[in-house]
Each structure stands twice: as C-alpha cells, then as structure tokens.
Amino acid sequence: MLTTPYVALDMDIMEKNINTMTSGLARNGIQHWPHIKTHKSVRLAKLEQQLGASGITCAKLAEAEVMAAGGIDAILLAYPLIGEDKCRRYAELARKITVRTIVDSLPGAEGLSREAVKNGLIFDIDIAIDYGAHREGIQPDELLDFAHKVAALPGLRVNGVFTYAGTIYQYHTEQDIRRAARQEAELLINSRDRLNANGFEITNLSGGSTLSSWYAEELQGITESRAGNFIFGDMNAINGGIYTAENCALTICATVVSIPLPGYATVDAGTKSLTSDLSATPHSYGMIQEYPEIELVKLNEEHGYLRYDPQKFSLTIGEQIHIIPNHCCVVANLVDEIYAFRNGEYSETITIDARGKSF
Ligand SMILES: Cc1ncc(COP(=O)(O)O)c(C=O)c1O
C-alpha cells in the first residue's frame, strides 16, 4: 500500500502522449528534443529517446550532468551559461557527450570561448532570440551584429538559432495558439535566412513549447522542438484546449484527513506536494480526477482545502483522491520517487534523478 501524498504516473497514458507528440513532429520534419525539466528522470528521458526523441533538452547544467551520467549522450543545454565554473563544467560535459548550448550575451559567449580554447574544443552555439517574454534572448534587430561578434570568438561555431515562446500560454483557443506557433516558426526561419544571407551556415532552428508543438504543422520549417510538459499533461494543457483529464498521466494521490464542516474537507497534499503554482487558474490548485466539480481552493504547506456542495457529494475520512496539478513540471522536483501504474496496477518506482539539481 503506497502512502499518501504520492505522485502517481499512468504509464499507458504517458507513452501515448510521447508517441502522439513525437510522431506529430516527425510528420512535419521536426526532430524532438524534449525538455526533461518536467520529469528530471533518466528512466523517462531514455524512454523518450526509445520512442523517437533525437536528444533531450535540459535547463540546468546539473540536470545535464545527471542525464549524461545516466547514459544520455545528446543534450541541448537551453540556458545561458554565465561564470567560469559553469563554463568549466560545460567543457567537461562536452568532452564526454554531444552538447550544444545557447548564447545571448557577449560576456556569456566570451566565457564559453575561453573554456573552449583552453580545452582545444569547438562549442556549437545557438543564438537565443527574444520572442517577446523578455526572459532571455537578444532582440531580433540586433541579431546580425551580435552573431558576427560571437562568431569572431575562437572556439565557438554559430550554427543555430533558438527561441522559447512561453507567452503562448496566454492563449486558449486553437486559432490563437496556431497563430502564435506560426509566428514562432517565422521568427526562427527569418533569423536563419538573415544570418545565412550574411555568410553564416545556420542549420539548427530550435523552438517549440507543448502548445505550439501540438499544432506541429504550424512549426514547419524549424528543425527541432523542445516540448516537455506534454509528457504528463496538466491544467495548463487542459486550459490550452489540447488535453482533457483523460490525457493527464501524472496526478498527486491524497487522502481526506479531516471534514470540519459539511462541504469542507481537507486532504494531506499542500504546497509541499503541489507548489503554489496558480499558472492555470487564479482560484484553483488543480482538478480532482474523481470529482471534477469539487474545488481545491486553498493550500497550506501540508493541507489542501476542498470545497463542495454537501447535498451533492459526501466525502469520507480516509478516502483517496487524485489531483491533476496546475503545472506538472514543478511536481516531480518535490519528490525522490514517483509511482508508475499500468492498467491501474502499480508497475514500478521511477527515481527523480535530477531532483533539486538547479545549479
Ligand atoms: C527553453 C524552454 N524550452 C522548452 C520548454 C518546454 O515548453 P513546455 O513546458 O510548453 O513543454 C521550456 C519550458 O519552460 C523552456 O523553458
């Protein structure tokens, strides 16, 4: 008997999610380099590769180090590497496996260049372009000048352009999401064309969120997608209209521990199981699979507050429920292990190898 709260993973649904995403991308000539920040597990990264991924994407160097130690040999590190220690660790990684990374500042490029030269290596570089979230990336009108400066540094080979269009999550209709996906692809294609018209040889066009990659035909022309969230699915994917509750593979299983008043129940999962992520809706911390009408309105660290009509529902102390989280990517990082099920039966324990590896 598993003890709550725990993270449950339906392997059948997850494998279907992987196959659907990877084959949709492949039909449109796009490689899949899934972002593993969603699961941080070597077992699941390898499964994604077995089911068609060309490599994986990591956010943090420490994640990439764990994945490489676990046997993954092709990684895109989609995060600006700043600081001598990071560049040194990156060079160590580059000696062992195939890695690529992004650059969006001269100090960042210079640090990588110094380390490449010191080690007699050539680093493949994607220039990161700001799609509009202003999180990272250079502005499109500065691209050419910046790319020339990076390419002039020894030890760096500029052969890719990169963007992350996270702003797509503000949209909830197919039409809006398709339009944003097309704009994302156009930004990369236009950037490639501009650079190649000026002597570059850009072959790698890296983009793709879960929402844009769902409509992969709109991304035609890019070479790779880094969609990550799709593997589990969550309230963000449901709100984006691409998934229903039936496509969500990951849930948090919790027990009803208290019913102080009719219509008020408390479960044993709070922010330490779900985080306080309100990205999907401003007033709900997830959907109860068994009771979609019952609301999870508030969390303390170890408590989740359920509210419901006591005329319609009668919860009982000790009853277990499954919560589809607002944002699945933050959940795996909270636990050492998740429990996998096939046909409703426990099948295996999956280790979150890169848990806490945020450095
Ligand atoms: C750089 C980068 N690429 C890809 C992804 C994956 O996007 P999604 O979560 O929509 O699958 C993310 C997610 O935050 C990201 O930051």
Side-chain angles (χ1 to χ4, degrees):
M1 176 83 172
L2 296 169
T3 306
T4 64
Y6 66 84
V7 180
L9 179 62
D10 187 312
M11 295 293 277
D12 302 306
I13 297 177
M14 183 191 68
E15 284 176 6
K16 198 162 160 229
N17 290 346
I18 298 174
N19 284 325
T20 306
M21 178 58 80
T22 304
S23 61
L25 288 165
R27 272 198 304 280
N28 288 283
I30 302 169
Q31 288 189 357
H32 195 191
W33 287 65
H35 208 310
I36 61 82
K37 75 197 189 74
T38 309
H39 54 74
K40 289 173 167 265
S41 150
V42 171
R43 160 90 172 95
L44 298 186
K46 284 186 168 166
L47 182 64
E48 289 182 303
Q49 281 202 303
Q50 275 160 24
L51 296 179
S54 304
I56 63 161
T57 302
C58 294
K60 293 303 184 88
L61 198 45
E63 285 173 351
E65 287 164 343
V66 168
M67 292 294 140
I72 304 285
D73 60 2
I75 298 180
L76 165 61
L77 191 61
Y79 203 89
L81 283 170
I82 302 298
E84 220 174 290
D85 61 321
K86 297 263 169 62
C87 294
R88 185 184 43 71
R89 283 165 57 202
Y90 183 76
E92 268 170 42
L93 200 58
R95 267 194 242 107
K96 294 183 200 141
I97 61 161
T98 304
V99 271
R100 262 183 303 136
T101 192
I102 64 167
V103 150
D104 74 345
S105 74
L106 270 188
E110 285 161 358
L112 283 167
S113 165
R114 273 193 298 274
E115 203 60 41
V117 170
K118 209 191 294 175
N119 287 277
L121 297 168
I122 302 286
F123 291 156
D124 285 322
I125 298 296
D126 287 355
I127 304 277
I129 304 163
D130 183 6
Y131 174 86
H134 310 324
R135 183 181 78 172
E136 81 251 317
I138 60 147
Q139 299 309 307
D141 57 354
E142 293 164 7
L143 173 66
L144 192 55
D145 181 47
F146 180 74
H148 275 304
K149 286 184 178 140
V150 176
L153 294 170
L156 303 187
R157 179 166 48 217
V158 175
N159 51 16
V161 285
F162 167 107
T163 200
Y164 177 60
T167 47
I168 199 167
Y169 279 95
Q170 70 190 288
Y171 302 122
H172 305 289
T173 66
E174 178 174 339
Q175 195 187 16
D176 283 343
I177 295 168
R178 280 185 180 277
R179 185 176 29 80
R182 195 64 222 143
Q183 284 168 359
E184 180 187 346
E186 276 163 9
L187 174 68
L188 290 169
I189 292 165
N190 293 340
S191 301
R192 186 262 325 267
D193 290 348
R194 204 141 44 91
L195 289 176
N196 285 358
N198 284 277
F200 285 86
E201 287 180 28
I202 302 294
T203 51
N204 190 45
L205 283 72
S206 181
S209 58
T210 288
L211 286 190
S212 66
S213 302
W214 188 254
Y215 302 107
E217 55 278 14
E218 307 295 347
L219 290 179
Q220 269 179 19
I222 75 168
T223 59
E224 72 183 26
S225 161
R226 305 182 307 271
N229 180 287
F230 76 94
I231 186 170
F232 295 149
D234 57 14
M235 292 308 294
N236 277 308
I238 292 177
N239 286 351
I242 63 164
Y243 278 7
T244 65
E246 282 70 45
N247 304 111
C248 291
L250 179 134
T251 54
I252 290 86
C253 182
T255 301
V256 176
V257 292
S258 190
I259 305 182
L261 288 170
Y264 290 68
T266 301
V267 290
D268 59 358
T271 56
K272 285 177 176 166
S273 300
L274 289 156
T275 79
S276 41
D277 196 308
L278 281 169
S279 57
T281 65
H283 50 76
S284 163
Y285 289 91
M287 184 198 280
I288 318 300
Q289 238 178 7
E290 294 82 356
Y291 305 105
E293 285 174 65
I294 293 184
E295 289 181 290
L296 181 54
V297 295
K298 179 177 162 176
L299 301 179
N300 293 149
E301 284 171 63
E302 291 89 8
H303 302 78
Y305 293 60
L306 301 183
R307 294 288 179 271
Y308 54 97
D309 178 353
Q311 311 298 330
K312 263 173 105 176
F313 302 103
S314 67
L315 296 190
T316 52
I317 299 283
E319 181 173 355
Q320 293 192 346
I321 59 161
H322 292 82
I323 304 163
I324 298 172
N326 278 350
H327 189 185
C328 63
C329 300
V330 294
V331 169
N333 194 46
L334 299 175
V335 290
D336 294 323
E337 295 172 334
I338 60 183
Y339 301 106
F341 294 79
R342 283 197 190 272
N343 294 320
E345 296 288 319
Y346 167 83
S347 62
E348 67 181 290
T349 296
I350 293 175
T351 308
I352 308 304
D353 312 272
R355 178 184 184 196
K357 301 290 184 196
S358 303
F359 49 94

